[in-house]
Amino acid sequence: MSAEKEKIDIRSLSLADLQKHFIQMDEKSFRAKQVYEWLWKKSCFSFEEMSNISKELRTKLNDKFVINNVQINNSQFSADKTIKNSFILHDKHLIEGVLIPTPERMTACVSSQVGCSLTCKFCATGYMERKRNLNPDEIYDQVVLIDKQARENYGIPLSNIVYMGMGEPLLNYKNVLESVEKLTSEDGLNMAAKRITVSTAGIAKMIKKLGDDGVKFNLALSLHAANDEKRNTIMPINEQNSLKALAEALKYYYAKTKNPVTYEYIIFDGFNDNIQDADELARFCRHLPCKVNIIEYNPIAFASYLNAGEDKVEAFAEHLRRHGVNTHIRRSRGKDIDAACGQLAIKDAK
């Protein structure tokens, strides 16, 4: 075990770093490029599978490096064809990721952290302790495994990726952006950035950084109330990232990227479901081009919130539309296996 620990995580190395190691090993640097392609273009989890590499070099690689690939621990299948996966990491931590098939798209919902440091009151992951950030390759592996699952079960490859699983992506900023680069790069999976959405609970300074970095992927903000008092109640992060600060950051982000923003809004019965709430949301939407996804609430054991009735949800959405807000109602999927929005939590994690 100690020898294994001394090995270098090969996917933590850039191509330039890998080439340096190959030169030190008296190997041609172009061999490093071949190995790099096996790792990131072909999603190879074993040196033995690298068929255009000599057996001698594969032995050298195995002695010096390790591929800390993610594995599926177990999978649950919903009546609506959603598949929830428990993934096991190299250090035995568990995370969850979901395949969401619909007639229009095949979506992977991936995690960015083991647990979460935010304490959103309606979200099961928010009641877990944050153990650590995921590495870029651990996020990448979730996509690879869920894509394989989509092809094997439904004969259709992934079309979309959402960073809406466990954790707050913008608190793992560097690794999340590196994972997107691996997914979208020609040296990686070459997926379209516009098919990727990163969702945040709202960290103003990091939203501005997204603008400075000129990201090409989509940004979604979990809003759920356009009133500071109400948002503080359900999302304590709002106390340090007020709606005014978020609006300023989002305007900055839009000015830099010209990417419209999606606001996610769960309607809780008797909490944020009246016409005054809709008016506040409509006013918040005037800051920049955006759309609103109204999301059905999925009850969890830790919280007593209830989903608003369908009539109220429809009236809320129609009020927004009358005020010129592009509004969609999203029906939850995978509720019967706790795979729906806000339900991801490793049952035995403390």
Side-chain angles (χ1 to χ4, degrees), residues 154-225:
Y154 305 119
I156 304 170
L158 282 182
S159 61
N160 295 73
I161 303 165
V162 294
Y163 285 65
M164 296 183 184
M166 298 167 68
E168 166 53 58
L170 298 192
L171 291 179
N172 187 16
Y173 189 92
K174 178 175 177 288
N175 289 350
V176 163
L177 261 62
E178 282 188 22
S179 71
V180 171
E181 194 274 331
K182 288 292 186 287
L183 295 171
T184 58
S185 164
E186 288 183 7
D187 291 331
L189 296 185
N190 203 24
M191 300 183 80
K194 284 297 177 188
R195 296 284 187 171
I196 298 174
T197 299
V198 172
S199 177
T200 178
I203 300 158
K205 68 177 183 179
M206 303 314 290
I207 292 171
K208 286 184 175 180
K209 185 161 173 51
L210 289 173
D212 287 333
D213 288 339
V215 299
K216 305 293 186 192
F217 54 74
N218 304 303
L219 178 65
L221 174 68
S222 293
L223 192 60
H224 313 314

Coordinates of all heavy atoms in Angstrom, one line a residue, residues 154-225:
Y154 N -29.7 3.3 -23.2 CA -30.7 3.9 -24.1 C -30.2 4.1 -25.5 O -30.9 4.7 -26.3 CB -31.1 5.3 -23.5 CG -31.6 5.1 -22.1 CD1 -31.0 5.7 -21.0 CD2 -32.7 4.3 -21.8 CE1 -31.4 5.5 -19.7 CE2 -33.2 4.1 -20.5 CZ -32.5 4.7 -19.5 OH -33.0 4.5 -18.2
G155 N -28.9 3.7 -25.8 CA -28.4 3.8 -27.1 C -28.2 5.2 -27.6 O -28.1 5.5 -28.8
I156 N -28.0 6.2 -26.7 CA -27.9 7.6 -27.0 C -26.8 8.2 -26.1 O -26.7 8.0 -24.9 CB -29.2 8.4 -26.7 CG1 -30.4 7.8 -27.4 CG2 -29.0 9.9 -27.1 CD1 -31.7 8.3 -27.0
P157 N -25.8 8.9 -26.8 CA -24.8 9.5 -26.0 C -25.3 10.7 -25.2 O -26.3 11.3 -25.5 CB -23.7 10.0 -27.0 CG -24.6 10.2 -28.2 CD -25.7 9.2 -28.2
L158 N -24.5 11.2 -24.2 CA -24.8 12.4 -23.5 C -24.9 13.6 -24.4 O -24.1 13.7 -25.3 CB -23.7 12.7 -22.4 CG -23.7 11.9 -21.1 CD1 -22.6 12.4 -20.2 CD2 -25.1 12.0 -20.4
S159 N -25.8 14.5 -24.2 CA -25.9 15.7 -24.9 C -25.6 16.9 -24.0 O -25.2 18.0 -24.5 CB -27.3 15.9 -25.5 OG -28.3 15.9 -24.5
N160 N -25.8 16.8 -22.7 CA -25.7 17.9 -21.8 C -25.0 17.5 -20.5 O -25.2 16.3 -20.1 CB -27.0 18.6 -21.5 CG -27.7 19.2 -22.7 OD1 -28.2 18.5 -23.6 ND2 -27.7 20.5 -22.7
I161 N -24.4 18.4 -19.8 CA -23.8 18.2 -18.5 C -24.2 19.3 -17.6 O -24.0 20.5 -18.0 CB -22.2 18.1 -18.6 CG1 -21.8 17.0 -19.6 CG2 -21.6 17.9 -17.2 CD1 -20.3 17.2 -19.9
V162 N -24.7 19.0 -16.4 CA -25.0 20.1 -15.4 C -24.2 19.8 -14.1 O -24.2 18.7 -13.6 CB -26.5 20.2 -15.1 CG1 -27.2 20.6 -16.4 CG2 -27.1 18.9 -14.6
Y163 N -23.5 20.8 -13.7 CA -22.8 20.7 -12.4 C -23.8 21.1 -11.3 O -23.8 22.2 -10.8 CB -21.6 21.7 -12.4 CG -20.4 21.2 -13.2 CD1 -20.5 21.1 -14.6 CD2 -19.2 21.0 -12.6 CE1 -19.4 20.7 -15.3 CE2 -18.1 20.6 -13.3 CZ -18.2 20.4 -14.7 OH -17.1 20.0 -15.4
M164 N -24.7 20.2 -11.0 CA -25.8 20.5 -10.1 C -25.9 19.3 -9.1 O -26.9 19.2 -8.4 CB -27.1 20.6 -10.8 CG -27.2 21.8 -11.7 SD -28.8 22.0 -12.5 CE -28.5 23.4 -13.6
G165 N -24.8 18.5 -9.0 CA -24.8 17.4 -8.0 C -24.4 17.9 -6.6 O -24.6 19.1 -6.2
M166 N -23.6 17.1 -5.9 CA -23.2 17.4 -4.6 C -22.1 18.5 -4.6 O -21.2 18.4 -5.5 CB -22.7 16.2 -3.9 CG -23.8 15.1 -3.7 SD -23.1 13.5 -3.3 CE -22.5 13.8 -1.6
G167 N -22.2 19.5 -3.7 CA -21.2 20.5 -3.6 C -21.5 21.8 -4.3 O -22.4 21.9 -5.1
E168 N -20.7 22.8 -4.0 CA -20.8 24.2 -4.6 C -19.6 24.3 -5.6 O -18.5 24.4 -5.2 CB -20.7 25.2 -3.5 CG -20.5 26.7 -4.0 CD -21.4 27.1 -5.1 OE1 -22.7 27.1 -4.9 OE2 -20.9 27.5 -6.2
P169 N -19.9 24.3 -6.9 CA -18.8 24.3 -7.9 C -17.9 25.5 -7.8 O -16.7 25.4 -8.0 CB -19.6 24.4 -9.2 CG -20.9 23.7 -8.9 CD -21.2 24.1 -7.5
L170 N -18.4 26.7 -7.4 CA -17.5 27.9 -7.4 C -16.6 27.9 -6.1 O -15.7 28.7 -6.0 CB -18.4 29.1 -7.5 CG -19.2 29.3 -8.8 CD1 -19.7 30.7 -8.9 CD2 -18.3 28.9 -10.0
L171 N -16.9 27.0 -5.2 CA -15.9 26.8 -4.1 C -14.9 25.7 -4.4 O -14.0 25.4 -3.6 CB -16.7 26.4 -2.8 CG -17.5 27.6 -2.2 CD1 -18.2 27.1 -0.9 CD2 -16.7 28.8 -1.9
N172 N -14.9 25.2 -5.6 CA -13.9 24.3 -6.2 C -13.5 24.9 -7.5 O -13.5 24.1 -8.5 CB -14.4 22.9 -6.2 CG -13.3 21.9 -6.6 OD1 -12.1 22.2 -6.6 ND2 -13.8 20.7 -7.0
Y173 N -13.3 26.2 -7.6 CA -13.3 26.9 -8.8 C -12.2 26.4 -9.8 O -12.5 26.0 -11.0 CB -13.0 28.4 -8.5 CG -13.1 29.3 -9.7 CD1 -14.3 29.9 -10.0 CD2 -12.0 29.5 -10.6 CE1 -14.4 30.8 -11.1 CE2 -12.1 30.4 -11.7 CZ -13.4 31.0 -11.9 OH -13.5 31.8 -13.0
K174 N -11.0 26.2 -9.4 CA -9.9 25.8 -10.3 C -10.1 24.5 -10.9 O -10.0 24.2 -12.1 CB -8.6 25.9 -9.5 CG -7.3 25.5 -10.3 CD -6.1 25.6 -9.5 CE -4.8 25.1 -10.2 NZ -4.8 23.7 -10.3
N175 N -10.5 23.5 -10.0 CA -10.7 22.1 -10.5 C -11.9 22.0 -11.4 O -11.9 21.2 -12.4 CB -10.8 21.2 -9.3 CG -9.5 21.0 -8.6 OD1 -8.5 21.4 -9.0 ND2 -9.6 20.4 -7.4
V176 N -13.0 22.8 -11.1 CA -14.2 22.8 -12.0 C -13.8 23.3 -13.3 O -14.2 22.7 -14.4 CB -15.3 23.6 -11.3 CG1 -16.4 23.9 -12.3 CG2 -16.0 22.8 -10.2
L177 N -13.1 24.4 -13.4 CA -12.7 25.0 -14.7 C -11.8 24.0 -15.5 O -11.9 23.9 -16.7 CB -12.1 26.4 -14.6 CG -13.1 27.5 -14.9 CD1 -14.3 27.5 -13.9 CD2 -12.5 28.8 -14.9
E178 N -10.9 23.4 -14.7 CA -10.0 22.4 -15.4 C -10.8 21.2 -15.9 O -10.5 20.7 -17.0 CB -8.9 21.9 -14.4 CG -7.8 23.0 -14.2 CD -6.6 22.4 -13.4 OE1 -6.5 21.2 -13.4 OE2 -5.9 23.2 -12.9
S179 N -11.8 20.8 -15.2 CA -12.6 19.7 -15.7 C -13.4 20.1 -16.9 O -13.5 19.3 -17.9 CB -13.6 19.2 -14.6 OG -14.6 20.1 -14.3
V180 N -13.9 21.3 -17.0 CA -14.6 21.7 -18.2 C -13.6 21.8 -19.4 O -14.0 21.4 -20.5 CB -15.2 23.1 -17.9 CG1 -15.8 23.7 -19.2 CG2 -16.3 23.1 -16.9
E181 N -12.4 22.2 -19.1 CA -11.4 22.3 -20.2 C -11.1 20.9 -20.7 O -11.1 20.7 -21.9 CB -10.1 22.9 -19.6 CG -9.1 23.3 -20.7 CD -8.2 22.2 -21.1 OE1 -7.9 21.3 -20.3 OE2 -7.8 22.2 -22.3
K182 N -11.1 19.9 -19.8 CA -10.8 18.5 -20.3 C -12.0 17.9 -21.1 O -11.9 17.2 -22.0 CB -10.5 17.6 -19.1 CG -9.2 17.8 -18.5 CD -8.0 17.4 -19.4 CE -6.7 17.5 -18.7 NZ -6.2 18.8 -18.6
L183 N -13.2 18.4 -20.7 CA -14.4 17.9 -21.4 C -14.6 18.6 -22.7 O -15.1 17.9 -23.7 CB -15.7 18.2 -20.5 CG -15.8 17.4 -19.2 CD1 -16.9 18.0 -18.3 CD2 -15.9 15.9 -19.4
T184 N -14.2 19.8 -22.9 CA -14.4 20.6 -24.1 C -13.2 20.7 -25.0 O -13.4 20.9 -26.2 CB -14.9 22.0 -23.7 OG1 -13.8 22.6 -23.0 CG2 -16.2 22.0 -23.0
S185 N -12.0 20.4 -24.5 CA -10.8 20.5 -25.4 C -10.8 19.5 -26.5 O -11.3 18.4 -26.3 CB -9.6 20.4 -24.5 OG -8.4 20.1 -25.2
E186 N -10.1 19.8 -27.6 CA -9.8 18.9 -28.6 C -8.9 17.8 -28.1 O -9.0 16.7 -28.7 CB -9.2 19.6 -29.9 CG -10.2 20.5 -30.6 CD -9.5 21.1 -31.9 OE1 -8.4 20.7 -32.2 OE2 -10.2 21.9 -32.5
D187 N -8.1 18.0 -27.1 CA -7.3 17.0 -26.5 C -8.0 16.2 -25.5 O -7.5 15.2 -24.9 CB -6.1 17.7 -25.8 CG -5.1 18.3 -26.8 OD1 -5.0 17.8 -28.0 OD2 -4.4 19.2 -26.4
G188 N -9.3 16.5 -25.3 CA -10.1 15.8 -24.3 C -11.3 15.2 -25.1 O -11.2 14.6 -26.1
L189 N -12.5 15.4 -24.5 CA -13.7 14.8 -25.1 C -14.4 15.7 -26.2 O -15.3 15.2 -26.8 CB -14.8 14.5 -24.0 CG -14.3 13.5 -22.9 CD1 -15.5 13.2 -21.9 CD2 -13.8 12.2 -23.5
N190 N -13.9 16.9 -26.3 CA -14.3 17.8 -27.4 C -15.9 18.0 -27.4 O -16.5 18.1 -28.4 CB -13.9 17.2 -28.8 CG -13.8 18.2 -29.9 OD1 -13.7 19.4 -29.6 ND2 -14.0 17.8 -31.1
M191 N -16.4 18.2 -26.2 CA -17.8 18.5 -26.1 C -18.0 20.0 -26.2 O -17.1 20.8 -25.9 CB -18.4 18.0 -24.7 CG -18.2 16.5 -24.6 SD -18.9 15.9 -23.0 CE -20.6 15.8 -23.4
A192 N -19.2 20.4 -26.6 CA -19.5 21.9 -26.7 C -19.7 22.5 -25.4 O -20.5 22.0 -24.6 CB -20.7 22.0 -27.6
A193 N -19.0 23.6 -25.1 CA -19.2 24.3 -23.9 C -20.6 24.8 -23.6 O -21.1 24.8 -22.5 CB -18.2 25.5 -23.8
K194 N -21.3 25.1 -24.7 CA -22.7 25.5 -24.5 C -23.6 24.4 -24.1 O -24.8 24.7 -23.7 CB -23.2 26.1 -25.9 CG -22.6 27.5 -26.2 CD -23.1 28.5 -25.1 CE -22.5 29.9 -25.4 NZ -22.8 30.8 -24.2
R195 N -23.1 23.2 -24.0 CA -23.9 22.1 -23.5 C -23.7 21.8 -22.0 O -24.2 20.9 -21.5 CB -23.6 20.8 -24.3 CG -24.0 20.9 -25.8 CD -25.4 20.7 -26.0 NE -25.9 20.6 -27.4 CZ -27.1 20.3 -27.8 NH1 -28.0 20.1 -26.9 NH2 -27.4 20.3 -29.0
I196 N -22.8 22.7 -21.4 CA -22.5 22.5 -20.0 C -23.0 23.7 -19.2 O -22.9 24.9 -19.6 CB -20.9 22.5 -19.9 CG1 -20.4 21.3 -20.7 CG2 -20.5 22.4 -18.4 CD1 -18.9 21.2 -20.7
T197 N -23.6 23.4 -18.1 CA -24.1 24.4 -17.2 C -23.6 24.2 -15.8 O -23.6 23.1 -15.3 CB -25.7 24.4 -17.1 OG1 -26.2 24.6 -18.4 CG2 -26.2 25.4 -16.1
V198 N -23.0 25.3 -15.3 CA -22.5 25.2 -13.9 C -23.4 26.0 -13.0 O -23.8 27.2 -13.3 CB -21.0 25.8 -13.8 CG1 -20.6 26.0 -12.4 CG2 -20.1 25.0 -14.6
S199 N -23.9 25.4 -11.9 CA -24.9 26.0 -11.1 C -24.2 26.4 -9.7 O -23.4 25.7 -9.2 CB -26.0 25.0 -10.8 OG -26.9 25.6 -9.9
T200 N -24.6 27.6 -9.3 CA -24.0 28.1 -8.0 C -25.1 28.6 -7.1 O -26.2 29.1 -7.5 CB -23.0 29.3 -8.3 OG1 -22.5 29.8 -7.0 CG2 -23.7 30.4 -9.0
A201 N -24.9 28.5 -5.8 CA -25.8 29.0 -4.8 C -25.6 30.6 -4.7 O -26.4 31.2 -4.1 CB -25.5 28.4 -3.4
G202 N -24.5 31.1 -5.3 CA -24.3 32.5 -5.4 C -23.2 33.0 -4.6 O -23.3 33.5 -3.4
I203 N -22.0 33.0 -5.2 CA -20.8 33.6 -4.5 C -20.3 34.7 -5.4 O -19.7 34.5 -6.5 CB -19.7 32.5 -4.3 CG1 -20.3 31.4 -3.4 CG2 -18.4 33.1 -3.7 CD1 -19.6 30.1 -3.6
A204 N -20.6 36.0 -5.0 CA -20.5 37.1 -5.9 C -19.1 37.2 -6.5 O -18.9 37.4 -7.7 CB -20.9 38.4 -5.2
K205 N -18.0 37.1 -5.7 CA -16.7 37.4 -6.2 C -16.3 36.3 -7.2 O -15.5 36.6 -8.2 CB -15.7 37.5 -5.1 CG -15.4 36.2 -4.3 CD -14.3 36.4 -3.3 CE -14.0 35.1 -2.5 NZ -12.9 35.3 -1.5
M206 N -16.8 35.1 -7.0 CA -16.4 34.0 -8.0 C -17.2 34.2 -9.3 O -16.7 33.8 -10.3 CB -16.6 32.7 -7.3 CG -15.8 32.4 -6.1 SD -14.1 33.0 -6.1 CE -13.4 31.7 -7.2
I207 N -18.4 34.7 -9.2 CA -19.2 35.0 -10.4 C -18.5 36.0 -11.3 O -18.4 35.9 -12.5 CB -20.6 35.4 -10.1 CG1 -21.4 34.3 -9.5 CG2 -21.4 36.0 -11.3 CD1 -22.8 34.6 -8.9
K208 N -17.9 37.0 -10.6 CA -17.1 38.0 -11.3 C -15.9 37.4 -11.9 O -15.5 37.7 -13.1 CB -16.7 39.2 -10.4 CG -17.8 40.1 -10.0 CD -17.3 41.3 -9.1 CE -18.4 42.3 -8.8 NZ -17.9 43.4 -8.0
K209 N -15.3 36.5 -11.2 CA -14.1 35.8 -11.8 C -14.4 35.0 -13.0 O -13.6 34.9 -14.0 CB -13.4 34.9 -10.7 CG -12.1 34.2 -11.1 CD -11.3 33.8 -9.9 CE -10.1 33.0 -10.4 NZ -9.3 33.7 -11.4
L210 N -15.6 34.4 -13.0 CA -16.1 33.7 -14.2 C -16.1 34.7 -15.4 O -15.7 34.3 -16.5 CB -17.5 33.1 -14.0 CG -17.6 31.9 -13.1 CD1 -19.1 31.6 -12.9 CD2 -16.9 30.7 -13.7
G211 N -16.5 35.9 -15.2 CA -16.5 36.9 -16.2 C -15.1 37.3 -16.6 O -14.8 37.3 -17.8
D212 N -14.2 37.5 -15.7 CA -12.8 37.8 -16.0 C -12.2 36.7 -16.8 O -11.3 36.9 -17.7 CB -12.0 38.0 -14.7 CG -12.4 39.4 -14.1 OD1 -12.8 40.3 -14.8 OD2 -12.2 39.5 -12.8
D213 N -12.5 35.4 -16.5 CA -12.0 34.3 -17.2 C -12.7 34.0 -18.5 O -12.3 33.1 -19.3 CB -12.0 33.0 -16.3 CG -11.0 33.1 -15.2 OD1 -10.0 33.9 -15.3 OD2 -11.2 32.4 -14.2
G214 N -13.7 34.7 -18.9 CA -14.4 34.6 -20.1 C -14.9 33.2 -20.4 O -14.8 32.7 -21.6
V215 N -15.6 32.6 -19.5 CA -16.0 31.2 -19.6 C -17.1 31.2 -20.7 O -17.8 32.1 -21.0 CB -16.6 30.6 -18.3 CG1 -15.5 30.6 -17.3 CG2 -17.8 31.4 -17.8
K216 N -17.1 30.0 -21.4 CA -18.1 29.8 -22.5 C -19.3 29.0 -22.1 O -20.3 28.9 -22.8 CB -17.4 29.1 -23.6 CG -16.1 29.8 -24.2 CD -16.4 31.1 -24.8 CE -15.2 31.7 -25.4 NZ -15.4 33.1 -25.8
F217 N -19.2 28.3 -20.9 CA -20.3 27.5 -20.5 C -21.4 28.3 -19.9 O -21.3 29.5 -19.7 CB -19.9 26.4 -19.5 CG -19.1 26.9 -18.3 CD1 -19.8 27.6 -17.3 CD2 -17.7 26.8 -18.2 CE1 -19.1 28.1 -16.1 CE2 -17.0 27.2 -17.1 CZ -17.7 27.9 -16.1
N218 N -22.6 27.7 -19.6 CA -23.7 28.4 -19.1 C -23.6 28.5 -17.6 O -23.1 27.6 -16.9 CB -25.0 27.7 -19.5 CG -25.2 27.5 -21.0 OD1 -25.1 28.4 -21.7 ND2 -25.3 26.2 -21.4
L219 N -24.2 29.6 -17.0 CA -24.2 29.8 -15.6 C -25.7 29.8 -15.1 O -26.5 30.4 -15.7 CB -23.6 31.1 -15.2 CG -23.6 31.5 -13.7 CD1 -22.7 30.5 -12.9 CD2 -23.1 32.9 -13.5
A220 N -25.9 29.0 -14.0 CA -27.2 29.0 -13.4 C -27.1 29.4 -12.0 O -26.1 29.0 -11.3 CB -27.9 27.6 -13.5
L221 N -28.0 30.3 -11.5 CA -28.0 30.7 -10.1 C -29.2 30.1 -9.4 O -30.3 30.3 -9.8 CB -28.0 32.2 -10.0 CG -28.2 32.8 -8.6 CD1 -26.9 32.6 -7.7 CD2 -28.5 34.3 -8.6
S222 N -28.9 29.4 -8.3 CA -30.0 28.9 -7.4 C -30.5 30.1 -6.6 O -29.9 30.4 -5.6 CB -29.5 27.8 -6.5 OG -29.1 26.6 -7.3
L223 N -31.6 30.6 -7.0 CA -32.1 31.9 -6.4 C -33.1 31.6 -5.3 O -32.9 31.9 -4.1 CB -32.7 32.8 -7.5 CG -33.0 34.2 -7.1 CD1 -31.8 34.9 -6.7 CD2 -33.7 34.9 -8.3
H224 N -34.3 31.0 -5.7 CA -35.3 30.5 -4.8 C -36.0 31.6 -3.9 O -37.0 31.3 -3.3 CB -34.7 29.5 -3.8 CG -34.0 28.4 -4.6 ND1 -34.4 27.8 -5.7 CD2 -32.7 27.9 -4.3 CE1 -33.5 27.0 -6.1 NE2 -32.5 27.0 -5.3
A225 N -35.5 32.8 -3.9 CA -36.2 34.0 -3.3 C -35.5 35.2 -3.8 O -34.2 35.3 -3.9 CB -36.2 33.9 -1.8

